[in-house]
Every structure is written in C-alpha cells, then in structure tokens.
Amino acid sequence: MSDRGDKGPKEGADAPSLEERATHSGSKIGDRRVRIIRPAASEFRRRGGHYVATPRVDAAQGRLGRVYARARHILFGARLTSEEEAGERLSKKTGLAIMASDNISSSAYATEEAMRVLAFAGGAALALTMPIAIAVCVVLAVVVLSESRVIRAYPNGGGSYIVAKDNHGVLPGLVAASALLIDYVLTVAVSSAAGVAAISSFVPAVHDHRVLWSLGLIALLTVGNLRGIREAGVIFAAPTYVYVLSLLGLIGYGLFRVASGDMPVAVLPRDAFEPEGIEPLTALLVLRAFASGSVGLTGSEAIANGVPNFKPPESRNAVITLVWMGTIFATLFLGLTYLATRIGIAPDQFEFETVNSMLTRSLVGDGTFFYYLVQISTAIILLLAANTGFSGFPRLASVLADDRFMPRQFAFRGERLAFSFGIIALALMSAAVLAAFHGSVTELVPLYTIGVFVAFTLSQSGLVRRWWRLRNPGWRLSMAINTFGAIVTGTVLVVVAFTKFLYGAWMVLLVMPILVGLLFAINRHYRTVHDALLLDRPDEPIPVLKPPVVLIPVARLDRATLQAVAFARSISPSVRAVHIASTAESAEEFARRWRRWTSEVPLDVIESPYRSLLQPLLKYIERIDERDDRPITVVLAEFVPRNWWEWILHSQTALRLKLSLLFRPNTIVIDVPYHTEDPGHGVTPRKPEDSSQ
Amino acid sequence: MQLKRILVPLAGTSVDVEVLRVAIALGKPAKAEIVAIHVIEVRWNLPLDAVLEPESERGEGVLDDAVKVAEQAGAHIETELVQAREAAAAIIDTARDRKSDLIVLGMPFRKRLGRVYVGKTVQGVYVGAHCAVLAYRQEETR
C-alpha cells in the first residue's frame, strides 16, 4: 500500500524527524492520500511552524520522580506556561502589599530611630522628632514624584540601573545596580532580624536562637516567592492591610482623644535616657537623627524597578501604587510621630519596648485586644518587609543578566514564572549576612539605606540629563522635579554616609566597588565569548571538515569497546585504539588479543610503570594532536549500569577522562554508552574472544 | 452485528463530541477498536504531500480533543491525520484499509434554501463506503 520515498533523495532527507509522511494509493486514480504519522504527537504539538512541548514531556518518570514532582507541586504549586505570565501580574492592591511592605513597615520603627538619636541630647530634644519626620516625608514626596517620572520614562522596569546606565553610562549604572543589590540583601537580612526581634518581645525564648529563627523565616519567604510573584502577593497581602488598618485606627483614635482633650497618660520606658542628655544638641546630631529617620525611605524604589510586574497599563498602575505607598507611609509616620511627641513617649535606652508599643499601650491600655492586634500585625509586616527584597532583587538581577552583567541563570524563569535563581541566590546571601551579624538588627541597620540613596541620586540625576537631551513637551517641569530630587537624595546620601560611616556604612562603601568590578568582569567574559561565537555573516556557509582523527581509549576487549570501535569507524577512516597497561606482560597480552580480534583498527599500547592512567593518555593525545592538523576526536566506551546505585561499583574512568578533556582545545569527546540491555544501535555484536578482563 | 472496528471522521465542528460519544457507546460493548480520523483537503494547485502548517495544527487539535473526550468516556481511541484531495475518498479508503465495520459520521445541523443540508463528504461516504455508515445529525435546536 505504502509507496513512500517516491521522490528523489534530498539533502538531509534521511535526517530523523518527529513526523513521517506516508503516501497510500487509493481505490481510484487520484484518490491517493498522505498519512501524517506523528508518534510523538502527544508530546510535541505543532504550532506556527515549530513544535511545542506538551506537559507530558515534563511529566515525572518513575516512582521516585513522581514523588519528587508531587512534593514540588505541594511546595511550589503547579507549573505555569509562559503564556500564563500575564495572569501572574499584580493588581494595584496586591502590588502595594508585595512591593511596598518594606516602605510601609518602616513606619513601625522610623519614629523611634530618629528619637533614639535625639534622646542623646536630652528629653527636650525629642521635640525635634516631628520636624525631622516632616523633613523625611518631604524627601519621600520628592522621591515619589521623581520615581513616578522614572516609571513613565522607563516603563520596562529596571529602575535606577537602567536610568543611570542610559543617561550617565555603564559605570554609574552598575554603581546604582550594585548599590541596590546590596540593599536588597540587607533588606531581607534586616527585616527578618527585626521580625524575629518583634516576636522575641512576646516570646523571650526565641531571642536565644534568633539566627535560626531568622534563617527559617528566610526559607519560608523563599518558598513563598518560588511559588510565583502573584501567589506571594496573595500570601503577603492580608498582613500588610491588617497592619495599615490597625495603625490608621490607632492614629484616628489617638487624634480623637487629643482633640477632645482626653489626653492619655504616657507609658514610661523601663530605662529612659538621661533627661538632661549626654551630648550637646548639635547640627550633626540632628542630621544623624534625620539619617536614622530616613530609614523609612527604603523600599520606595522597588515599585519603579518592578513596573513589568503590574497588570496593564503597567506604568499607570505602578505610579498609582507608588502614590498610595507614599501616602500611607507618610500618614502612618507623621501620625505616630505626632502622637508620640504630643503624648510624651520617650524611647527605651535598652530597647526593651518599642516606642510604638508604648504609644499603643498609652492609648488603648495594656493587654487589650487592640494592643495585641497592633503588635502582632507590626511583627508580621516587619517579617514581610523582607519580601520587597525578594521582588526587587530577582527582577534587577534578571535585567542585569539580560545585559550580560550577571550570570545568565538569573534571567531564567522557573516553573512558576518566578526568577528562581535570583530568589535562591538572594536567600543564600541574606542568610549569610544574617548569620555573620548574629541576627542583630542593631549591627545590621547602619549598613542599610546607603545603597538606596546612591541609586536614587544616580537615577534622578540621570533623568535630569535625559530631559535636557530629549526636551519633550513639559521637559522643564520634569527636569526641575528631578533636579530637586537629585539634590535632596544626594544630600541625604552624604548625610547618611557621613553619619553612619564608622557604624558600619564603610563596609557597604567597600563592597560596592568590588561588586561593580565583578559585574564588569562577568560582562567582559560574555563579550569575549560572544565575539568568539559570532558568525561573520548571516549566510555563513557550513565549513567542510576533514574526517577527524579518532582515538579510542580501551581498557578491555568487551561489548562496550566493540560498540565504541564500530561507532568510531562510522565517523572516520582514521581510527586508532590506545590501551594503557601497568606491566609489560599485560601490555603484550592485550596487544596479542587485539591482533587476534581485528587487524582493521590499529592499537597503541602504552606501558605505565607507575600505574597512572590519565596522564599517559592525555600526553599521548597531546602528541598525536601535534602531529596532525585534523581535530582529535576521543571516543569513549562507557558502561552504564542498570540502576543508579550500581554506578559506585564502577571506576568511572570514562567520566574522569571526559572531565580531563573538557577544557582541551581542538578535541571532541564522544561518549558511547553501553547499557547491559542495549544490543547497540545498528551494531551486530560479534563475540569477542575474551571479555573476562 | 458485532462491531470490531469503527472509523469516526472528525471535521472539527460542533458535532464532533457527540458523534464520538455515539461511536464509543456503540463500540464499547464489543470492545471495538475506534479510530478518529481528520482529513485535510489539499487544493489541486498544491502537491498532495505539501506541508500545510495551519491545517495540520488544526487537525492535531481536533484529534487531541477527541482523545480527551474518549478518555473522559473511559475509552481509548487511535487517531489518524490524513491529507487528500477529497475527504470522502480518503475516509472510504482508510475504512477499507483498516477493515472497519462501521463509519460513524457527524452532520452539523445546517439549512440551505429551507432544507437540511447534507455536505458532500457525508454524501460521498454514504454512497461509496464498503461498510456500514451511520450518519449522526445534530439536533435542530443547536
């Protein structure tokens, strides 16, 4: 019936294909039909001129594989196709929870951070907390306004790195990128440590194992983020909103009591600072207080970096979320600061209780439901603030990887469309930092915030150059906003770097240039590789190579060797076997057996008196290579055991040889595996004379 | 009649699911082998074995859906994708080659000039098939 092959042979016509077309004659003339035979149709679907792998291709094989796949499914969720990426985008509400939790959570400690510095100058100096809070909010307003310009100018995300690179050049771009990468790592470390500190206020036993608890939290966040960005948002949305609503309720209630003249009695700290102070109230002290309060500005760049994570229209949704974030933070920060200074709350010298806790107790009383609601939601949001790092770092790393400044693995999306490699790398680095600093918030905080202000300043000044260069309609206003933004954030950067330098900021300032150098080095490598691999022209002809010189290292004469020799002879007429023997007798014996087996493939036997195998073989290949300009092809006969555990019973010489030859130029290594149940592809086994060795 | 082999031509219309279920219902008691076939009609100005990407994709989709419907009905079916000049001749010849006892055809409910319209493929198979042919017409209300 079938009369396939009715055409003349074509170039590549016998190349294997997933599809076969068989022509069948019909019962009448002209009723011929072509059967399209697709044995792998359930695994590879045809679409638009190419094949699409179906879920069956990725289906787990074997019982162990299925158990592993099931465990992955439970832990990380079902796999998502690339087309489902749009469904993984964030709405404004989820985006606020996932990208702004860091910034919003800062309101839990920003007031206290400023107060703790001012308290060195005595109780009266605490009155300056409110002006400092207003100044921080002014800076935040400038940052929000400027970042909204970044989002509009660069809707594809990348934030400060892209802006700085586009407008200042590669080096400033990488400075911004490395500053942000460091800050994201620190965000995760600080937030987990702060979260554990908040828990240990309720459960003192946690304090002794705070590093372990913090690492556990990082692991939890890692799993949450590996499940995909949208799902992470769903997990983390509720606590963020509970925190915001409970704090707004507290502030509303406090303002009502103050306005109605029902002034609450301030809860006093267990160990108050000296009322007269231990330092004079200098401009430097006020600046330090401002720098500490500026910790509340961290996290505001995450939205500009992650614009593509939003649902369309991405830019608009990102700007609205940014404005929501700024408004919520400013309301909470100003409200809490106003109430704390108005009621007369002072910070505790040894951090036994937070300012917010004392304020809440003053307003709603100790041990009430609302007190616990505020405290628990504060603890949770501090933990979740780390998530901003998890949304920012992988996205920025992927942009850097696309630009070939970071390893390509950072640009790959995992089964859940999350940048899995970036998430895991961030988790490992932040865990290392956390462990190195013993999980202490106090030790980690001075390292914080510098990176974000470096990035802000570079992106703002970058946009100034952009507006000047493009001069689009409205460029003067945009330029004025970003100039002001650059000056303000630059000033804050100088203040923060100056006042925190000795407290640990120097480490960040040291690591940043090292990281920039590393990014440059990675890029140089990729450029070199790219240049080496680039085709000279798109229609580059396929070069015609001479058949290679084929060397077959043989340990014994057996079926695996037979198959390897057969394969070697199929690719080249110049085949030579080489055997390493440990004694003269075994060398002679092997040569004799080889001669008896075949005279078609010449054999070199090398006696190695010191029983080394690889070195004589490598040296032999080297010498052959020197004498012949054809590429050397080493064909390895490798026995593959039926079960994985049998693998350890074999010496794995082929594997070691493969590794040794991996980096050798002008050398092709071909592995010819031999399975015990494998009769060989196209090889008719001829019983060797002796396979007992 | 003991049904051993049933051929179900599927054109990718709304009647496909129903006609396949009918074929499964008929074949299940005797554990008949059911083959779903989709014929891509190749225009005369093209070679018969021309690679017709959109049509092949659509055909594979039709047959994939058929496999899913069969799995839901607890049956296993084979599928066949064919290119021919005329669908009816290809169906008849495939039925002959596969030694089918029955061809179950689906007819979407269509009217032309106030009368139920029977397509040329259905007519061609009805007239030319060597084996029994069952035409399943969709309900009017659909």
Side-chain angles (χ1 to χ4, degrees), chain A residues 197-266:
Chain A
I199 294 170
S200 66
S201 303
F202 294 99
V203 194
V206 169
H207 188 268
D208 296 340
H209 306 287
R210 59 184 178 175
V211 174
L212 273 180
W213 276 87
S214 303
L215 294 180
L217 285 169
I218 290 175
L220 200 67
L221 288 167
T222 306
V223 171
N225 279 278
L226 286 174
R227 288 186 70 95
I229 189 162
R230 192 170 61 95
E231 205 155 316
V234 172
I235 296 167
F236 304 143
T240 306
Y241 284 107
V242 170
Y243 172 80
V244 170
L245 291 176
S246 61
L247 264 280
L248 283 176
L250 181 76
I251 291 165
Y253 178 65
L255 290 176
F256 172 74
R257 282 190 65 176
V258 170
S260 61
D262 178 19
M263 186 64 83
V265 179

Side-chain angles (χ1 to χ4, degrees), chain A residues 543-575:
Chain A
V544 179
L545 294 179
K546 287 186 236 169
V549 173
V550 182
L551 299 176
I552 316 169
V554 287
R556 56 187 69 85
L557 202 46
D558 57 14
R559 285 178 188 277
T561 303
L562 175 94
Q563 188 163 293
V565 170
F567 173 78
R569 280 162 57 84
S570 73
I571 58 171
S572 174
S574 315
V575 179

Side-chain angles (χ1 to χ4, degrees), chain A residues 446-469:
Chain A
L447 281 70
Y448 208 26
T449 67
I450 289 191
V452 81
F453 279 103
V454 169
F456 276 152
T457 310
L458 285 167
S459 69
Q460 299 305 314
S461 54
L463 274 192
V464 172
R465 291 182 75 166
R466 178 187 164 89
W467 304 131
W468 178 254
R469 196 177 69 243

